[in-house]
Amino acid sequence: MPGVRRSIDETAILVDGPWRHRFVDANGSRFHVAEQGDGPLVLLLHGFPEYWWTWQHQLPLLADAGFRAAAVDLRGYGASDKPPTGYDVYTMAADIIGLIRALGERDAIVVGHDLGGLLGFAAAAFHPASVRRLVVLSSAHPLRQRAALAVDPRGQLAASRHILAFQLPRFEHVVTRDDAVMVANLMRAWAGPRWRETPEFAAYVRMCRDAIQLPQAAFCALEAYRWALRTSLRLAGRRFVRLLQQPIRVPTLQLHGERDSCLLPRTAQGSGRYVTANYEWRLLPEIGHFPQLECPELVTSEVVRWAKD
């Protein structure tokens, strides 16, 4: 019935497969990780409104290529802990480094999509010794995204209307209303036209609608976006900008869908100015906001190429 929230628990998202599910403690919280393969660690970070399942194709492909692939549920998402605080970029970047340590490694190849890409940039800036290489999908350097919101009102600011709405009190109830129909609408708007009409897209959206309705998940998901705007004019925000102005010394590959209407290509492309290490930019024709799902083989081959370079 419209307006009635479905009863969902974490078992709904612990999908069986060739991977194994495990829980690890890092940075004071418990995180769920789906892991497959042996070799150098590739840590996979999802975006909003997703969870580890966005990397369903990359886990076996990376394992076959000789890597240990680990897809994590970020703080507040999926089967990971959902504490009421800790959704600032400093803490979430520290979560990534803590996860690398908890998985028994000193460093990792970090692959991030959307929010995960932004956190990947932050982790590489704050903790460069722990990030061997960085691959960013459908995201931008935090300072580049911040600038685009200010100088591109008809472009990136208009595309970010959902982030402005997230600032409203109790908006998490709007996100989960009517079986999380807002999640379905956002994902349909952001997806590339070819993938949008496939049965896989419909099944994936259904999984994300379920995941965002886990207890406290919607609130936690919005808190990261609320922190970014709340602190923009405060001391913490100025400190954040100052720290991120340090050049990134981690080799970085950016993959971006030509049809991405959530994070515009022209916004993402300006991120290279913050990277002083080896940097590559690749625009993916006819692909929307979810390249890891829309063209999984291509994305995986690019990750493997970058990791082995």
Side-chain angles (χ1 to χ4, degrees):
M1 294 175 60
V4 177
R5 181 170 172 171
R6 302 172 66 221
S7 178
I8 297 169
D9 62 34
E10 292 177 357
T11 59
I13 65 166
L14 299 179
V15 182
D16 290 333
W19 43 78
R20 65 177 181 132
H21 295 285
R22 61 184 295 202
F23 291 87
V24 296
D25 294 323
N27 200 29
S29 292
R30 188 186 76 151
F31 292 87
H32 164 250
V33 177
E35 186 178 31
Q36 185 176 354
D38 296 295
L41 177 63
V42 179
L43 190 64
L44 302 163
L45 310 174
H46 65 82
F48 173 89
E50 303 172 276
Y51 62 111
W52 75 272
W53 186 236
T54 197
W55 304 108
Q56 58 185 281
H57 301 297
Q58 281 69 42
L59 283 169
L61 291 173
L62 287 170
D64 289 344
F67 292 92
R68 178 188 177 194
V72 62
D73 284 333
L74 296 175
R75 171 186 295 260
Y77 286 85
S80 291
D81 277 355
K82 300 171 181 64
T85 60
Y87 299 96
D88 56 279
V89 172
Y90 306 112
T91 301
M92 296 186 78
D95 288 345
I96 296 169
I97 306 308
L99 279 161
I100 294 170
R101 301 287 189 274
L103 292 170
E105 301 292 341
R106 296 180 60 184
D107 58 23
I109 299 125
V110 174
V111 181
H113 170 252
D114 185 78
L115 174 62
L118 184 147
L119 295 175
F121 271 124
F126 301 158
H127 311 279
S130 297
V131 181
R132 185 184 307 174
R133 285 183 172 262
L134 177 64
V135 181
V136 174
L137 286 72
S138 310
S139 190
H141 187 279
L143 297 187
R144 175 58 193 153
Q145 185 167 354
R146 181 187 177 111
L149 290 172
V151 303
D152 191 8
R154 294 185 179 181
Q156 191 56 59
L157 182 61
S160 303
R161 290 188 298 269
H162 60 289
I163 295 178
L164 301 179
F166 291 169
Q167 310 308 308
L168 297 174
R170 300 178 65 81
F171 196 78
E172 57 269 20
H173 299 295
V174 177
V175 173
T176 57
R177 182 185 298 162
D178 296 338
D179 193 20
V181 69
M182 182 179 181
V183 164
N185 292 338
L186 286 173
M187 296 181 74
R188 175 163 286 276
W190 296 341
R194 291 184 297 185
W195 185 58
R196 187 189 300 144
E197 304 307 322
T198 65
E200 181 189 353
F201 171 78
Y204 181 67
V205 169
R206 175 68 269 167
M207 296 286 284
C208 290
R209 292 172 75 173
D210 288 347
I212 205 68
Q213 293 181 78
L214 289 166
Q216 299 304 312
F219 168 79
C220 296
L222 301 195
E223 278 296 281
Y225 297 97
R226 290 167 174 165
W227 177 86
L229 278 160
R230 276 198 307 255
T231 60
S232 59
L233 300 176
R234 299 178 185 174
L235 179 61
R238 293 194 292 272
R239 177 174 175 265
F240 174 66
V241 170
R242 188 169 61 252
L243 287 173
L244 281 174
Q245 285 173 339
Q246 299 299 317
I248 291 176
R249 303 187 301 275
V250 175
T252 301
L253 170 66
Q254 268 193 278
L255 305 175
H256 209 92
E258 179 188 44
R259 297 290 195 95
D260 192 338
S261 60
C262 175
L263 201 296
L264 303 183
R266 65 176 182 254
T267 298
Q269 192 167 15
S271 302
R273 62 176 293 189
Y274 298 99
V275 182
T276 56
N278 189 22
Y279 173 83
E280 284 188 25
W281 160 268
R282 181 169 180 183
L283 193 64
L284 308 177
E286 298 302 313
I287 300 299
H289 187 61
F290 306 95
Q292 70 276 20
L293 293 158
E294 298 182 42
C295 54
E297 292 83 7
L298 174 60
V299 166
T300 307
S301 67
E302 284 293 286
V303 171
V304 169
R305 176 183 68 84
W306 196 248
K308 290 184 174 181
D309 191 356

